[in-house]
Amino acid sequence: MASLLDLEQGPRLCIEEVRIAGHVQPIVLRSYRPASDGTVLPIVLYFHGGGFTHGTLDDADIAAATIARDTPAWVVSVGYSLAPHFPFPAAPEDGYRAAQWAVAHARGQRADPQRIGVAGHDAGGNLATCVAAIARDRGDIRMSAQVLLAPLLDPSMTRVADERKVLCPDLELSECARCYRAYLPNPSQRLHPYAAPLESRRLHGLPPALIASAEHDLLHIEAEKYAAELISAGVPTEVTRHCKASHHALAAHPDALADVVAFFRKRLARTK
């Protein structure tokens, strides 16, 4: 697929899809690139939500297009493999293959493989920080920034808000538990640092982070706890709780996306 999209403001975006080899099956990437004015763009990988078991590239469209247009950046939205048919580690390994593909094709997209960010919502937030950890550990890709929007970070689900104190949550804990069971069928996987970031004792060396939580989200506690853990590990971290926002709505929340753009503009700026 190839198309040109005019948004309300800003440059026209070229949107294309490509199929690449994933960890266990082919996956689809959707590329968002502003019309070229000669500027070398940073790269942002974006991971949609859906609790590891559902969700599509279309769910990421607003966030991916906004980041591409307003940063500006070459955004690669990742159609990773979904559980239960493809449980852990398929999704984070797909994400890492997407990062490798983006680095290999950066020159043709007038993009800079030394300025890469990762971002995601819900399960995509988990994948974003886990792909950053994989890149750190394998050493062949350098990530410069990570953004997590209402992320799922704790398969143990022991760091959730009191349901009596959160107004009208739109994600039930029972649904979240079902998703984790599908994604992590082996109980020992629930402690793996590439699946359970909050259990990791190796957060040092991860890229600077922006974590956005939502007031009406039972999982805002674990997001903010992860921010505290990153800070303790020496990772420059910003955290914002968005009032009157819900878990699912945060993926397209205007204020949250404005923060994302400002963070990437700062962290992925070209150094002279």
Side-chain angles (χ1 to χ4, degrees):
M1 179 189 82
S3 67
L4 291 174
L5 176 66
D6 280 311
L7 299 180
E8 292 181 0
Q9 297 178 345
R12 177 177 290 187
L13 293 178
C14 176
I15 302 176
E16 301 177 295
E17 288 188 358
V18 62
R19 185 179 296 267
I20 70 168
H23 180 61
V24 292
Q25 66 161 351
I27 60 171
V28 176
L29 310 179
R30 185 176 293 176
S31 163
Y32 298 75
R33 184 173 51 79
S36 177
D37 63 358
T39 302
V40 178
L41 302 170
I43 301 169
V44 174
L45 298 173
Y46 190 88
F47 298 90
H48 66 77
F52 305 102
T53 64
H54 56 283
T56 70
L57 291 172
D58 291 343
D59 296 330
D61 191 64
I62 292 175
T66 300
I67 295 167
R69 177 195 67 198
D70 293 347
T71 304
W74 177 36
V75 175
V76 178
S77 184
V78 184
Y80 54 88
S81 300
L82 299 175
H85 296 297
F86 302 102
F88 177 82
E93 290 291 352
D94 284 348
Y96 193 69
R97 280 168 170 74
Q100 292 175 311
W101 180 89
V103 167
H105 291 81
R107 185 174 181 179
Q109 298 290 334
R110 292 193 62 84
D112 185 352
Q114 300 302 313
R115 293 185 290 145
I116 305 177
V118 288
H121 169 249
D122 181 84
N126 177 297
L127 297 176
T129 196
C130 291
V131 169
I134 294 171
R136 176 203 60 193
D137 294 344
R138 296 182 184 173
D140 58 341
I141 297 174
R142 179 180 177 274
M143 300 287 184
S144 300
Q146 57 175 320
V147 171
L148 318 181
L149 303 171
L152 273 62
L153 302 168
D154 179 23
S156 74
M157 297 181 61
T158 57
R159 304 168 179 94
V160 297
D162 187 334
E163 292 181 274
R164 298 167 297 181
K165 297 181 180 179
V166 175
L167 181 65
C168 301
D170 62 349
L171 176 66
E172 295 183 359
L173 295 181
S174 58
E175 176 189 354
C176 194
R178 286 194 298 272
C179 290
Y180 276 128
R181 285 196 297 271
Y183 180 55
L184 304 168
N186 184 337
S188 66
Q189 295 171 329
R190 298 191 172 204
L191 296 175
H192 196 293
Y194 297 164
L198 260 177
E199 302 293 347
S200 176
R201 303 276 66 86
R202 295 184 60 250
L203 300 179
H204 178 75
L206 288 177
L210 170 65
I211 298 179
S213 66
E215 180 182 14
H216 303 314
D217 183 8
L218 294 169
L219 303 184
H220 74 260
I221 300 293
E222 66 182 59
E224 293 159 14
K225 173 66 173 173
Y226 188 56
E229 293 291 333
L230 288 173
I231 292 168
S232 295
V235 178
T237 302
E238 302 173 26
V239 59
T240 304
R241 185 188 298 177
H242 291 271
C243 297
K244 299 181 180 179
S246 66
H247 178 89
H248 293 303
L250 203 61
H253 191 283
D255 291 343
L257 293 182
D259 288 349
V260 172
V261 166
F263 181 77
F264 278 141
R265 288 176 69 93
K266 175 176 65 176
R267 292 294 179 181
L268 301 180
R270 192 173 188 177
T271 57
K272 295 182 180 180

